[in-house]
Amino acid sequence: MVQLSDAEERIVAATPLFRSLSAEDIGVLLHGCNLVTVTRSQMLFAKGDPAEVSYLVLQGRVKLVQHDESGSEAVLRIFGPGETFAEAAAFMGGRYPVSAFAIDQCRLLQLKTRTLKAEIQRRPDIALAMLASMAAHLKTLVNQIADLKLLTADQRVAWFILKRLQLSEDGQTIRFPYGRAVLASELGMSAETFSRALKRLSRFGVAITGDVVTILNPDKLARYARVN
Amino acid sequence: MVQLSDAEERIVAATPLFRSLSAEDIGVLLHGCNLVTVTRSQMLFAKGDPAEVSYLVLQGRVKLVQHDESGSEAVLRIFGPGETFAEAAAFMGGRYPVSAFAIDQCRLLQLKTRTLKAEIQRRPDIALAMLASMAAHLKTLVNQIADLKLLTADQRVAWFILKRLQLSEDGQTIRFPYGRAVLASELGMSAETFSRALKRLSRFGVAITGDVVTILNPDKLARYARVN
DNA sequence: CGGTTATTTGACGGGTATCAAACACCGTGG
DNA sequence: CCACGGTGTTTGATACCCGTCAAATAACCG
């Protein structure tokens, strides 16, 4: 059994995969899990590696990326504390279809697929939780595709800000959770375009100071990025 | 119980969701299902509708689309015979995150979520099959995002042709399964760009006559669209 | 404080969307 | 059989979004 802080245990219990389970059920699933610590820009797995484990983020951020032969990369998604990833690949027993890198210093829980599968056989509701978790992933990806196809770069940035604003404390400011270059790639644009997009959004009441973004007029911004 | 032709029963049995199940298990799941027939361009459900059923395609093609306020649409994916869709949304019991339209005349099986859920409780392996099916969907979407972010329009068209070529009989020709406009939207480009892309690909040994595409030199084309 | 990395800014070119018109395809009805 | 309207595709002209390259600036860190 791994050693987790109280805060970390709360994170685990709150994750979609485990939310519906009792503390002891979680204990069973975590039995024999590895706790791994990785440093900034370190690789967790490469595309094509045999997928034997999935991950739960406790601290830091992980980016899932796809590379092309020329070396440029596309960030598919970024996972933070409380989120799980690579469940699907691990579960299918195939190989990872993407690569994973730590953006920050990270603490991660490695979930053994074997244990997970075994538990599903015994406890069908774990399967339901897993289905729910994967359904959420699906929805995220579907929205991302729609955004890429329907919105301009500026609108995607605006949309990103608005989404974060909903989780914000004061409803007026957000802060960028990680570097702009990574953010740009996640939104499907170059770092330069992202920088310019931010500047252009000042027309709609967006002010940037360091890593803090102040949205003077959320409605105006929402009207510009009319989506969903 | 619905009335299916032999061919259709074979389609059902071969679908990822049901592949691992016995004929009688399938019978249980299909019990009380509706068989629906829709005509070209008819809507199956709209984004925001309560998601009560998922679908299995028997005949024809269905497109899942997202609209923006200006009326332009993005095709997220197209499903043909033997494929299932909307499982995730139906399963979560929420609302459909996208809209669905028939491209052709279609015959579809409506799967009741209630039945599916009940069976999962009794038979965990159905849950595994469902997880596998959703994992496959996830992988498709992930690849689509990577393609949109990393490839040019021409490369996406080339890549599409190559993928279809692998399923081709003779390994030299394919035919477009549906209209070019829909195809273009699926690949994330306008119909005009798609048309021009096809023309430009003649430089790499792609010849078009009507709906038939002849690939004179698959290797050359693959070298151009170097991906995966 | 120096050296490295991240971000911004500018200039430029190319890829794509958009608009418009010409054209091909197709089932219908005269 | 051919005319014909509707739909879908192609082609051309144009504009602009956005990526790339290069340089300047800022932020970071030991």
Side-chain angles (χ1 to χ4, degrees):
Chain A
M1 185 57 194
V2 294
Q3 207 56 280
L4 301 181
S5 72
D6 283 2
E8 287 175 340
E9 280 190 0
R10 255 175 281 122
I11 288 177
V12 172
T15 209
L17 244 184
F18 299 134
R19 191 174 300 153
S20 61
L21 306 181
S22 70
E24 41 188 343
D25 283 339
I26 295 178
V28 174
L29 282 170
L30 262 46
H31 189 74
C33 274
N34 286 328
L35 181 68
V36 298
T37 305
V38 292
T39 65
R40 169 192 182 70
S41 85
Q42 192 175 332
M43 186 175 70
L44 282 160
F45 53 78
K47 169 179 178 174
D49 285 353
E52 280 147 8
V53 296
S54 55
Y55 290 87
L56 195 168
V57 183
L58 295 173
Q59 277 181 29
R61 314 253 176 188
V62 173
K63 63 176 179 183
L64 263 51
V65 302
Q66 183 98 280
H67 288 94
D68 67 0
E69 80 290 353
S70 73
S72 55
E73 78 175 26
V75 173
L76 294 157
R77 187 160 169 202
I78 290 173
F79 294 94
E83 295 185 305
T84 53
F85 63 91
E87 309 120 284
F91 207 84
M92 298 298 296
R95 294 166 177 280
Y96 296 111
V98 296
S99 307
F101 292 87
I103 293 181
D104 298 317
Q105 179 106 335
C106 287
R107 276 167 66 86
L108 304 154
L109 221 41
Q110 277 184 337
L111 309 173
K112 290 217 173 65
T113 311
R114 284 174 45 87
T115 324
L116 220 51
K117 270 188 175 161
E119 278 310 292
I120 286 181
Q121 300 285 355
R122 296 201 313 113
R123 297 278 315 272
D125 46 335
I126 298 182
L128 297 191
M130 184 127 183
L131 281 169
S133 176
M134 281 179 52
H137 284 176
L138 267 177
K139 198 176 167 187
T140 304
L141 293 178
V142 162
N143 283 329
Q144 207 184 328
I145 294 175
D147 290 351
L148 284 170
K149 288 186 176 173
L150 292 173
L151 303 181
T152 66
D154 288 16
Q155 286 176 313
R156 292 202 296 277
V157 174
W159 186 237
F160 171 83
I161 292 174
L162 288 167
K163 271 186 294 188
R164 291 226 124 228
L165 201 56
Q166 291 181 320
L167 309 174
S168 155
E169 306 282 317
D170 56 5
Q172 287 229 34
T173 62
I174 67 167
R175 53 173 45 245
F176 290 133
Y178 30 83
R180 285 160 161 72
V182 179
L183 207 31
S185 179
E186 187 183 9
L187 293 172
M189 67 192 72
S190 69
E192 296 93 325
T193 300
F194 179 73
S195 171
R196 286 187 250 261
L198 279 179
K199 188 142 290 190
R200 282 189 292 264
L201 288 182
S202 64
R203 285 182 29 71
F204 302 99
V206 176
I208 292 103
T209 24
D211 270 7
V212 179
V213 183
T214 310
I215 297 88
L216 308 171
N217 192 342
D219 286 349
K220 191 174 185 180
L221 191 60
R223 238 173 293 120
Y224 170 64
R226 270 244 171 288
V227 272
N228 262 351
Chain B
M1 184 57 193
V2 294
Q3 207 56 281
L4 301 182
S5 73
D6 284 3
E8 288 175 338
E9 280 190 1
R10 254 176 280 124
I11 288 177
V12 173
T15 208
L17 244 184
F18 299 134
R19 192 175 297 152
S20 61
L21 306 182
S22 71
E24 43 188 340
D25 284 339
I26 295 178
V28 173
L29 281 170
L30 263 46
H31 189 74
C33 273
N34 286 329
L35 181 67
V36 298
T37 306
V38 292
T39 65
R40 170 192 181 68
S41 85
Q42 192 175 333
M43 187 175 70
L44 283 161
F45 54 78
K47 170 179 179 174
D49 285 353
E52 281 146 7
V53 296
S54 56
Y55 290 87
L56 195 168
V57 183
L58 296 171
Q59 277 180 31
R61 313 255 177 188
V62 173
K63 64 176 178 184
L64 263 51
V65 303
Q66 183 98 279
H67 292 281
D68 66 0
E69 80 291 353
S70 73
S72 56
E73 77 173 26
V75 173
L76 293 156
R77 187 160 169 203
I78 290 173
F79 294 94
E83 296 185 304
T84 53
F85 62 91
E87 308 121 285
F91 207 84
M92 297 298 296
R95 294 166 178 279
Y96 296 111
V98 296
S99 308
F101 291 87
I103 293 181
D104 297 317
Q105 179 106 336
C106 286
R107 277 166 66 85
L108 305 154
L109 222 40
Q110 277 185 337
L111 308 173
K112 291 214 171 68
T113 311
R114 284 174 45 86
T115 325
L116 220 51
K117 271 188 176 162
E119 279 310 293
I120 286 181
Q121 300 285 356
R122 296 201 313 114
R123 296 276 316 271
D125 45 335
I126 298 182
L128 298 191
M130 185 127 182
L131 282 169
S133 176
M134 282 178 52
H137 284 176
L138 268 177
K139 199 176 167 186
T140 304
L141 293 178
V142 162
N143 283 329
Q144 206 184 328
I145 293 174
D147 290 351
L148 284 170
K149 288 185 177 173
L150 292 174
L151 304 181
T152 67
D154 288 17
Q155 285 176 313
R156 293 202 295 277
V157 174
W159 187 239
F160 171 84
I161 291 174
L162 288 168
K163 271 186 293 189
R164 291 226 122 227
L165 201 57
Q166 292 180 320
L167 310 173
S168 154
E169 305 282 317
D170 56 5
Q172 287 229 31
T173 63
I174 66 166
R175 51 173 45 246
F176 290 133
Y178 31 82
R180 284 160 162 73
V182 178
L183 207 31
S185 179
E186 188 183 8
L187 294 173
M189 67 192 73
S190 69
E192 296 93 323
T193 301
F194 179 73
S195 172
R196 287 188 250 263
L198 280 179
K199 189 143 290 190
R200 283 189 290 265
L201 288 182
S202 65
R203 285 180 28 71
F204 302 100
V206 176
I208 292 103
T209 25
D211 271 7
V212 180
V213 183
T214 310
I215 297 87
L216 308 171
N217 193 342
D219 286 350
K220 192 174 185 181
L221 191 60
R223 237 172 294 122
Y224 169 64
R226 271 243 172 286
V227 272
N228 263 349

